[in-house]
Amino acid sequence: LQKSLSETFGADQYSRARKEVLTYMFSRPMQMALYFCTGVLEDETLFHHYALNVPFYTHFTSPIRRYADIVVHRLLSASLGARPPLKMEKEAIQKQADHCNDRKMASKRVQELSADLFFSIFVRVRP
């Protein structure tokens, strides 16, 4: 797929734009990761990371970026004994995770619509 895409990009002034748009469009159907509280899920196979092929997986970035990352940092710190446990019920944590997922989905949808608009304009002005 990568080789085929590289041949499609070309070498003109629009090749970089074509590369970004087409790469984005091909990655769009991939399943998006979701936040969830492990305490509310009984099926541990749902913790599996398909691409990395590991049975248990968590992901976070710098806690200055997203609220979900702050929660993950705090939960991991508590599980390692570096801080006291969070005073949140697992249902409340799941409610926060659901909210973060909703916002992430909305953001992704706006990004997709923006890419669609750019692509439409690109196709229209480019013969």
Side-chain angles (χ1 to χ4, degrees), residues 25-39:
M25 291 175 82
F26 278 109
S27 65
R28 189 188 241 175
M30 294 180 183
Q31 184 179 3
M32 194 164 82
L34 297 174
Y35 297 109
F36 62 91
C37 176
T38 58

Side-chain angles (χ1 to χ4, degrees), residues 16-73:
R16 182 169 176 240
R18 265 195 303 278
K19 177 182 178 183
E20 288 182 27
V21 169
L22 290 174
T23 300
Y24 175 76
M25 291 175 82
F26 278 109
S27 65
R28 189 188 241 175
M30 294 180 183
Q31 184 179 3
M32 194 164 82
L34 297 174
Y35 297 109
F36 62 91
C37 176
T38 58
V40 300
L41 299 178
E42 293 183 17
D43 184 3
E44 288 187 0
T45 62
L46 297 173
F47 305 167
H48 182 261
H49 190 287
Y50 176 78
L52 296 176
N53 195 25
V54 292
F56 298 102
Y57 178 81
T58 191
H59 171 82
F60 57 90
T61 61
S62 169
I64 63 170
R65 291 192 56 209
R66 295 182 290 240
Y67 180 71
D69 297 318
I70 293 171
V71 173
V72 172
H73 274 253

Side-chain angles (χ1 to χ4, degrees), residues 28-124:
R28 189 188 241 175
M30 294 180 183
Q31 184 179 3
M32 194 164 82
L34 297 174
Y35 297 109
F36 62 91
C37 176
T38 58
V40 300
L41 299 178
E42 293 183 17
D43 184 3
E44 288 187 0
T45 62
L46 297 173
F47 305 167
H48 182 261
H49 190 287
Y50 176 78
L52 296 176
N53 195 25
V54 292
F56 298 102
Y57 178 81
T58 191
H59 171 82
F60 57 90
T61 61
S62 169
I64 63 170
R65 291 192 56 209
R66 295 182 290 240
Y67 180 71
D69 297 318
I70 293 171
V71 173
V72 172
H73 274 253
R74 290 176 180 169
L75 290 168
L76 285 173
S77 293
S79 71
L80 296 171
R83 64 169 287 140
L86 266 69
K87 294 181 177 161
M88 288 177 75
E89 297 293 323
K90 59 187 174 186
E91 292 79 12
I93 294 171
Q94 184 58 49
K95 186 176 178 180
Q96 289 292 327
D98 291 339
H99 178 72
C100 289
N101 289 331
D102 290 343
R103 296 294 84 217
K104 188 166 71 165
M105 292 285 202
S107 173
K108 182 177 169 73
R109 184 68 184 134
V110 169
Q111 182 181 8
E112 289 171 352
L113 290 170
S114 174
D116 289 347
L117 177 63
F118 172 80
F119 187 67
S120 297
I121 293 169
F122 177 78
V123 169
R124 188 174 201 180

